[in-house]
């Protein structure tokens, strides 16, 4: 009689995994299998019961599978054991657990397990909740003998108990996963409510998604205005080349995501839908729309490394729920940006009115008084000096009127050159700072700096100015944009320097802004550093950010 039981359709299915009913079913199955068998099997009942007890302990799924393989080998006196876990799709195996197998024997045991012959190899199915979870394989009985009918029945009984243990471990794993994803959602919400800015919020979403999904990267993509999606926040050990990458409008992935449909990829490196230059770096991936109501705000991507395991149905569901929370985070961040922008516009209007109604009028009145004094002056040198002062006041009035005009402009009305964008950022920052930062440009900034680098330079400038306002308590800020810089490898680069005379960076202080600056530079192949600033004795902070042109 061949001692093998090949996988077949579920029969005599036990109840749902876990609970007293499952143990009762297992005991009933064991009793039925033992009836009428030899005294050899009956004498091994204590060993079987101990094996069943061992299999049923422990909540972790993978450690449970390791324990089942080891226990089955000991029970049947086999040298090697393996469990092939069937992929949920029904195609191939999602996992292959071995016992007693060295690295150079792995393929041999896999070949034997694939075709158990009933004498030198034994195989039985493991069923969980009425479905075949996988198959348990044993080979090479110690002493060179063949597997007996008693071995087969013992292993079948063990497989029944193993199904219950696996079911319990699976429930525990899913429960633990849910708690982790819930905690991650709470972390995102807390970060927003603590007053983090928009870029910080996106970074938190990316970091939490990467951690929870156990992925190689966490990426937030936003619509780029041309029908594609741009990577705007990245969490990865190696973010090089990711930040700023665009999924083009003609990509079938982009059209699905912008329509609010999730996309699940088994292998990003080989899937023809993945057409970006970074796709070959990754394997299984989830791309989930960040959707709020009928509005698609962006996409959350969690690509795993090449060769990593695929995402399970539970992971896909939990990630989709997290993406919904992340979409809420984006809505809150957008509302916060709108409030800040409105406050800036209101301040600019107020400053423009004050400059026009108060400052210019006082300067004009002062000029009239000086002209009157000039006419009455007797000494020629006095008349000359007073005349010069009047001329300076006229120039000052013209400069103030120019500033008023700039304050009343919408940001979109200004030209799109990098120089203008830098000046616009400095003008916007002047409102909360209470003073105007100075700006110096070196080289053909507008002509040499590319759009992608320019966009990230503006974001880096905004981050540096924000840090100076929120943490440095500075009274002077100097900004230099140098398009004639070079990188250590000789490539042409643009260098942004932002120096202030504030309090500097305290020990143990928050450094998320500096990390964001470094990530942006590194993603472009550049670098970011900081050191002493403009204050006396080296006080304050100076940030130097460089990226290829």
């Amino acid at each position: 009689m061949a001692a093998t039981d090949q996988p077949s359709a579920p029969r005599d299915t036990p109840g749902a995994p876990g609970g007293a009913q499952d143990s009762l079913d297992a005991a009933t199955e064991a009793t039925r299998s033992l009836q009428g068998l030899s005294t050899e099997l009956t004498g091994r009942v204590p060993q079987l019961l101990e094996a069943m007890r061992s299999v049923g302990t422990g909540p972790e799924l993978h450690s449970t599978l390791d324990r089942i393989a080891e226990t089955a080998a000991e029970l049947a006196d086999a040298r090697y054991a393996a469990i092939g876990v069937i992929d949920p799709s029904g195609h191939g195996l999602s996992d292959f657990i071995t016992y007693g197998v060295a690295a150079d024997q792995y393929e041999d045991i896999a070949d034997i397990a694939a075709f158990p012959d009933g004498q030198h190899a034994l195989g039985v199915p493991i069923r969980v909740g009425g479905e075949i979870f996988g198959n348990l394989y044993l080979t090479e009985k110690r002493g060179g003998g063949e597997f007996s009918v008693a071995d087969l029945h013992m292993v079948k009984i063990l497989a029944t108990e193993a199904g219950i243990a696996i079911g319990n471990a699976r429930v525990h794993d899913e429960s633990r996963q849910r708690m982790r994803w819930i905690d991650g959602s709470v972390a995102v919400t807390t970060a927003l409510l603590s007053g983090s800015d928009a870029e910080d919020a996106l970074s938190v979403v990316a970091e939490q998604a990467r951690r929870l999904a156990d992925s190689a990267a966490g990426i937030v993509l936003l619509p780029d205005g041309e029908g594609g999606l741009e990577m705007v926040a990245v969490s990865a050990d190696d973010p090089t080349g990711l930040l700023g990458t665009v999924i083009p409008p003609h990509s079938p992935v982009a059209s699905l995501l912008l329509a609010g449909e999730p996309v699940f990829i088994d292998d990003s490196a080989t899937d023809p839908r993945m057409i970006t230059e970074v796709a070959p770096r990754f394997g299984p991936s989830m791309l989930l729309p960040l959707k709020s109501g009928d509005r698609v705000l962006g996409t959350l991507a969690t690509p795993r490394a090449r060769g990593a395991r695929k995402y399970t149905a539970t992971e896909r569901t939990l990630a989709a729920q997290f993406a919904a929370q992340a979409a809420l985070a984006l809505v809150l961040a957008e509302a916060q940006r709108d409030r800040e922008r409105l406050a800036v516009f209101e301040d600019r209007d107020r400053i423009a009115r004050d400059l026009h109604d108060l400052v210019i009028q006082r300067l004009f009145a002062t000029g009239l008084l000086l002209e009157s004094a000039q006419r009455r002056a007797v000494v020629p040198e006095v008349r000359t000096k007073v005349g010069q002062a009047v001329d300076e006041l006229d120039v000052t009035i013209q400069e103030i009127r120019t500033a008023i005009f700039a304050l009343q402009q919408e940001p979109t009305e200004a030209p799109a050159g990098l120089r203008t964008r830098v000046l616009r950022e400095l003008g916007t920052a002047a409102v909360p700072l209470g003073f105007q930062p100075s700006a110096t440009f070196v080289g053909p900034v507008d002509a040499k700096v590319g759009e992608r680098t320019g966009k990230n330079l503006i974001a880096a400038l905004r981050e540096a100015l924000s840090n100076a306002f929120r943490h440095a308590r500075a009274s002077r800020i100097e900004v230099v944009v140098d398009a004639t810089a070079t990188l250590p490898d000789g490539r042409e680069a643009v260098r942004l320097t932002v120096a202030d005379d504030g309090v500097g960076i305290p020990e143990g202080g928050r450094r998320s802004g500096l990390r964001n600056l470094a990530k942006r530079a590194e993603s472009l192949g550049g670098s970011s550093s900081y050191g002493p600033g403009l204050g006396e004795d080296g006080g304050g902070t100076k940030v130097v950010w460089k990226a290829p042109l």
Side-chain angles (χ1 to χ4, degrees), residues 184-206:
S185 297
V186 171
V188 170
T189 304
T190 302
L192 284 175
L193 295 179
S194 67
S196 298
D197 59 26
E199 289 195 10
D200 281 347
L202 296 178
S203 296
V204 169
V205 171

Side-chain angles (χ1 to χ4, degrees), residues 221-424:
L221 302 94
L222 296 182
D224 65 355
E226 299 180 359
L229 290 161
E230 180 183 0
M231 299 181 185
V232 298
V234 175
S235 173
D237 289 336
D238 181 15
T240 304
L242 294 177
L243 197 66
T245 296
V246 174
I247 299 178
H250 60 271
S251 166
V253 169
S255 59
L256 287 172
L257 293 171
L258 291 173
E261 297 294 329
V263 176
F264 300 103
I265 305 295
D266 289 340
D267 186 5
S268 298
T270 59
D271 195 305
R273 296 173 296 175
M274 304 295 283
I275 61 176
T276 64
E277 60 184 12
V278 300
R281 293 166 53 177
F282 301 108
S285 182
M286 292 188 293
L287 294 93
L288 306 165
L290 297 167
K291 189 175 181 181
S292 178
D294 295 330
R295 181 185 174 196
V296 177
L297 303 169
T299 295
L300 175 63
T302 55
R304 282 178 171 162
R306 296 195 64 177
R309 63 180 178 83
K310 301 175 185 177
Y311 285 101
T312 65
T314 299
E315 288 175 322
R316 294 180 179 189
T317 300
L318 293 173
Q321 293 171 351
F322 178 85
Q325 181 67 29
L328 176 60
L330 289 178
V331 170
L332 293 175
E334 186 177 49
Q336 179 173 306
R337 288 196 300 271
D338 289 342
R339 289 195 299 270
E340 292 174 352
R341 190 178 298 113
L342 178 60
V344 169
F345 288 157
E346 290 176 346
D347 274 349
R348 288 169 64 171
D349 286 342
R350 176 183 57 78
I351 293 171
R353 288 194 305 270
D354 289 346
L355 288 174
H356 183 271
D357 297 340
L358 300 177
V359 177
I360 287 182
Q361 296 301 324
R362 288 179 179 176
L363 288 174
F364 187 73
T366 302
L368 292 177
L369 289 174
L370 288 173
E371 286 180 344
S372 176
Q374 182 186 25
R375 289 193 297 269
R376 297 177 183 179
V378 177
V379 181
E381 292 182 0
V382 173
R383 287 200 299 270
T384 301
K385 293 292 184 183
V386 172
Q388 291 175 349
V390 171
D391 292 340
E392 288 294 328
L393 283 177
D394 287 340
V395 172
T396 301
I397 290 172
Q398 292 301 320
E399 289 177 346
I400 292 176
R401 284 175 174 164
T402 301
I404 292 172
F405 177 74
L407 286 170
Q408 292 173 335
Q409 278 188 310
E410 291 290 334
T412 54
E413 295 175 8
L418 180 59
R419 182 187 299 262
T420 300
R421 284 184 283 171
V422 169
L423 293 174
R424 184 192 305 159

Side-chain angles (χ1 to χ4, degrees), residues 3-7 111-124 136-138:
T4 184
D5 185 15
Q6 293 298 318
D111 291 339
I112 294 173
F115 304 101
D117 59 13
Q119 296 178 340
H120 302 291
L122 181 152
V124 296
L136 171 62
Y137 303 108
L138 302 168

Side-chain angles (χ1 to χ4, degrees), residues 13-61:
T13 303
Q21 183 61 45
D22 295 322
S23 298
L24 179 60
D25 290 343
T28 302
E29 177 66 20
T31 303
R32 184 183 300 113
S33 299
L34 291 171
Q35 290 176 351
L37 294 181
S38 66
T39 55
E40 174 198 353
L41 183 57
T42 305
R44 293 169 64 184
V45 167
Q47 183 186 5
L48 174 61
L49 294 177
E50 176 60 25
M52 294 173 67
R53 184 201 65 78
S54 175
V55 165
T57 60
E60 301 292 336
L61 180 56

Side-chain angles (χ1 to χ4, degrees), residues 138 174 219 266 287 293 420 441 472 510 513 520 535 541:
L138 302 168
E174 291 178 356
I219 304 171
D266 289 340
L287 294 93
T420 300
F441 299 92
R510 183 172 178 267
R520 284 191 176 277
T541 304

